[in-house]
Amino acid sequence: MSAVATGAPLLSAAVREAIAAEVTKYPQPRSALLIALHLIQGELGYVPLQAQREVAELLGIKPIEVREVVTFYPMYHEHSVGKRNIQVCVNIACALGGARHVVRGLEDRLGIAPGGRTPDGRYSLEEVQCLGSCGTAVCVQVNNEPYIENVKADGPDAANAIDELLKRIG
Amino acid sequence: MPERYLLPPDGTDLRSIDAYRKQGGYAAATRALREMTPEAVVEVVRESGLRGRGGAGFTTGQKWSFMPKPGGPKPSYLACNADESEPGTFKDRQIMERNPHLFLEGLVIGGYAIHARAAYVYIRGEYITAFRVLSDAIREARAAGLLGKGLFGSDREFDIHLMRGAGAYICGEETGMIESAEGRKGQPRKRPPFPAVSGLWSCPTTVNNVETVSHVPAIIMRGAAWFKTIGTPASTGNTLFGISGHVNRPGVYELPLGTPLREIIEVHAGGVRGGRALKAIIPGGVSMPVLSAAQADVAMDHDSLKQVGSLLGTGGIVVMDDTACMVRAAVVIARFFRHETCGQCTQCREGTSWLYKLLRRIEAGEGTLEDLRTIDSVGGYMEGQTICALSDAAAWAATGFLRRFRAEFEAHVHERRCPLPESFEP
């Protein structure tokens, strides 16, 4: 990533328009920052520095004020992750429900540890904190999609369960 | 089964505005906006005894009464906390996904009561389904004239906007949420000033939880006296108890406050899985001190839980059976708080790391009795020393497990390993 913005803008016209529509909801444009970053990440898969500079300009704030936010919130990525970013909840209800088996099964199958990405760029794996789905543990979220719930990967059927999970993940 | 008024009856889909109206929906908002003054709405909610369902349990009517009269120099706002992120808590999602118009109706009435120009709902970023369901519901309500200019045929203007968080637990703290809603890191603010004086965009703001406002339509329709017949004198109404962990039927159950914990576990959640023995219960989200099985007869209301050394919190119940290692449970929770500290207060930033390292060491069989004393002393430095309550919660969780299950912690030290071979892994 070069330090100076060069070439064509990274943010598409559609994202710029969607951000502009969000800005109208608030007395201060800056309040649209979090949702703007979700829109950007939805399109690019992550929020690179150039995109941060562009959104700063749109909202009338400094690039560092955007970066502070990007790096504070766990959902945003400054660097690209796998096309399918698999997030396994490891908080208490999911831990009690066997989250460690799910993480280990995915580690073995994908050959990566949490924080890693497969060489083909298809999958990345993350351990995340409570997703608010404790009654349907273990809970897995891929990218920002609806949850995959009641995932089990212990006992004799563990290998099949991971196959099944990866099929659902796509 | 006690009567429900928050969750739809089984098998009923209330997500569309037509379905919701067909069973009487929006009659309460119509009554409030057409027949009652804002002050009368505040009064009936105060009289009902409704307390906030986000964790702190503050009286809602009283909170609303702190808001300024209209005509001041700045507009007022209703900020709704839909950042549900206290581990063990998954109830607000049930309302947002299954009964979105009830929630919107509660916001319309609450906004009217406090003379708010608009409501901003801060939804945790992961809740994409709730976000979509609510977006559709708001669109329907606008099209039906129940939001926007001249809502309910009045001369007022009031709209509801959705905002999205991005995975930070601390944004469930009300001033952290306000910072985040202004486009900043979610680091809590010092109080005073309180949000009712200076909240969102430095304007008077009331912050209410999703479930809290969702009680209001029933209170308007059926009255404060009816509401007080449910629950206990100091904890009125139904609430949504989320129960998870080692039970046969985990889920969200709408029951009166004051329902005995044992009844929730045994009757509603179908008992401990596999017929195993009950060992430990977190009664109200992981910020609240753990209870032992001997305390399971406690009634789930504010006063009763205080008497046994814990708190009602969010009503998120986590059940652990006799296979579960208490040091491991404490490790999982300490890891969470270490991850979620916002870092601005030293006691919390350093303390959460210390607690995690100490507990990890004990869990690995490498701890000493001195480490157990250090947990207590670190916890002592973390309580009541910081801008918000995350630090207190992290300390209560760790010291709570240690105090309630000291023998098991000591066994880890003496045997130099975890003495529970069947335990879940952290």
Side-chain angles (χ1 to χ4, degrees):
Chain A
M1 182 88 241
S2 79
V4 183
T6 49
L10 207 50
L11 302 188
S12 70
V15 160
R16 284 168 185 272
E17 249 170 62
I19 293 171
E22 283 297 324
V23 166
T24 62
K25 298 177 181 173
Y26 313 107
Q28 293 171 8
R30 183 182 185 149
S31 283
L33 178 57
L34 270 76
I35 206 142
L37 294 171
H38 281 300
L39 290 165
I40 293 166
Q41 188 159 288
E43 188 171 79
L44 302 177
Y46 66 116
V47 192
L49 289 176
Q50 190 184 327
Q52 294 182 27
R53 283 191 290 267
E54 290 178 26
V55 76
E57 203 180 324
L58 288 177
L59 301 179
I61 54 178
K62 298 191 192 87
I64 186 61
E65 294 176 301
V66 174
R67 196 166 191 200
E68 277 185 340
V69 166
V70 171
T71 53
F72 183 83
Y73 294 90
M75 284 181 75
Y76 302 130
H77 302 287
E78 255 195 338
H79 302 282
S80 69
V81 293
K83 268 201 182 64
R84 308 298 287 156
N85 184 40
I86 307 170
Q87 300 146 86
V88 183
C89 174
V90 295
N91 211 303
I92 189 68
C94 286
L96 292 170
R100 188 50 51 197
H101 295 285
V102 176
V103 172
R104 201 175 288 139
L106 288 167
E107 283 176 329
D108 291 348
R109 185 62 53 88
L110 302 175
I112 53 174
R117 180 168 58 152
T118 54
D120 63 359
R122 175 147 192 86
Y123 298 108
S124 50
L125 180 62
E126 277 187 82
E127 290 182 4
V128 295
Q129 295 301 333
C130 189
L131 291 170
S133 200
C134 314
T136 48
V138 174
C139 182
V140 174
Q141 184 167 36
V142 177
N143 298 348
N144 198 204
E145 298 168 10
Y147 296 162
I148 301 175
E149 298 169 280
N150 294 308
V151 176
K152 300 285 176 217
D154 45 356
D157 231 19
N160 285 337
I162 294 295
D163 282 342
E164 206 50 48
L165 175 60
L166 283 171
K167 217 178 284 167
R168 289 188 68 184
I169 288 169
Chain B
M1 281 296 242
E3 187 197 354
R4 305 204 302 219
Y5 56 84
L6 293 171
L7 298 181
D10 291 330
T12 320
D13 185 347
L14 291 185
R15 283 175 298 176
S16 78
I17 195 166
D18 291 340
Y20 181 67
R21 284 180 122 169
K22 215 168 271 170
Q23 55 89 59
Y26 287 111
T30 306
R31 175 180 294 178
L33 271 64
R34 292 201 183 144
E35 298 168 23
M36 296 170 77
T37 62
E39 293 68 32
V41 174
V42 173
E43 183 52 28
V44 69
V45 171
R46 197 194 56 74
E47 175 60 25
S48 77
L50 174 66
R51 294 170 71 166
R53 302 297 202 249
F58 195 80
T59 311
T60 305
Q62 199 182 348
K63 195 186 247 189
W64 288 359
S65 72
F66 297 152
M67 291 293 281
K69 299 267 168 282
K74 289 175 173 175
S76 294
Y77 293 108
L78 176 57
C80 183
N81 191 338
D83 194 54
E84 179 160 81
S85 44
E86 174 70 22
T89 312
F90 50 107
K91 64 182 178 78
D92 291 338
R93 198 182 138 202
Q94 294 291 319
I95 296 177
M96 292 189 282
E97 292 181 6
R98 293 169 61 194
N99 211 351
H101 287 285
L102 175 75
F103 170 46
L104 298 185
E105 185 172 12
L107 289 172
V108 167
I109 301 169
Y112 176 73
I114 63 166
H115 306 280
R117 172 180 288 182
Y120 288 87
V121 180
Y122 185 97
I123 307 180
R124 66 174 299 180
E126 296 90 338
Y127 276 7
I128 192 71
T129 303
F131 180 80
R132 288 176 184 161
V133 172
L134 284 175
S135 300
D136 290 346
I138 288 172
R139 210 171 300 126
E140 282 184 313
R142 275 191 200 131
L146 307 183
L147 285 177
K149 223 176 213 143
L151 74 165
F152 289 87
S154 70
D155 56 357
R156 294 170 172 268
E157 183 174 358
F158 178 79
D159 211 340
I160 299 173
H161 302 290
L162 303 182
M163 308 185 86
R164 295 187 64 197
Y169 168 73
I170 194 61
C171 296
E173 198 280 344
E174 65 177 9
T175 60
M177 186 188 86
I178 289 169
E179 281 287 305
S180 182
E182 293 183 1
R184 298 186 173 81
K185 293 183 284 184
Q187 294 187 321
R189 295 176 179 174
K190 286 185 194 132
R191 278 144 289 196
F194 288 91
V197 173
S198 179
L200 261 181
W201 307 298
S202 307
C203 296
T205 303
T206 287
V207 182
N208 283 146
N209 158 269
V210 173
E211 184 194 326
T212 307
V213 299
S214 300
H215 286 276
V216 173
I219 293 170
I220 295 296
M221 286 315 287
R222 303 171 76 169
W226 163 79
F227 196 75
K228 287 195 286 190
T229 63
I230 310 167
T232 71
S235 301
T236 53
N238 280 352
T239 203
L240 297 181
F241 290 111
I243 181 164
S244 62
H246 293 155
V247 290
N248 286 313
R249 286 195 302 274
V252 172
Y253 298 93
E254 180 179 342
L255 297 166
L257 280 166
T259 302
L261 176 55
R262 194 178 297 281
E263 179 191 321
I264 299 173
I265 296 171
E266 297 296 335
V267 179
H268 302 286
V272 178
R273 61 154 195 198
R276 301 215 56 127
L278 179 64
K279 180 173 184 179
I281 315 102
I282 298 168
V286 299
S287 294
M288 303 305 151
V290 66
L291 303 175
S292 68
Q295 296 170 303
D297 289 308
V298 67
M300 290 293 286
D301 62 73
H302 290 285
D303 295 341
S304 302
L305 278 157
K306 208 175 270 175
Q307 278 165 20
V308 296
S310 192
L311 291 163
L312 179 65
T314 59
I317 302 163
V318 183
V319 174
M320 289 169 256
D321 71 16
D322 58 356
T323 63
C325 169
M326 295 297 101
V327 180
R328 289 184 176 182
V331 164
V332 167
I333 294 165
R335 178 174 66 196
F336 164 71
F337 284 119
R338 185 191 63 155
H339 186 260
E340 300 298 342
T341 177
C342 82
Q344 66 174 332
C345 303
T346 308
Q347 291 88 336
C348 180
R349 183 182 62 242
E350 302 297 322
T352 50
S353 249
W354 268 92
L355 290 177
Y356 176 67
K357 282 181 202 158
L358 288 160
L359 288 162
R360 201 48 161 164
R361 189 150 81 196
I362 296 159
E363 193 266 324
E366 293 158 8
T368 63
L369 293 177
E370 183 64 29
D371 288 340
L372 304 188
R373 283 189 287 275
T374 309
I375 288 173
D376 265 328
S377 79
V378 169
Y381 284 116
M382 292 171 72
E383 283 177 50
Q385 308 283 319
T386 51
I387 291 173
C388 84
L390 188 146
S391 184
D392 303 71
W396 291 348
T399 58
F401 270 97
L402 175 58
R403 282 168 202 174
R404 210 76 86 184
F405 298 97
R406 184 173 288 276
E408 196 170 312
F409 280 69
E410 289 174 352
H412 279 75
V413 171
H414 295 312
E415 297 179 30
R416 310 206 68 77
R417 65 183 173 88
C418 176
L420 290 127
E422 292 179 83
S423 176
F424 75 97
E425 294 175 69

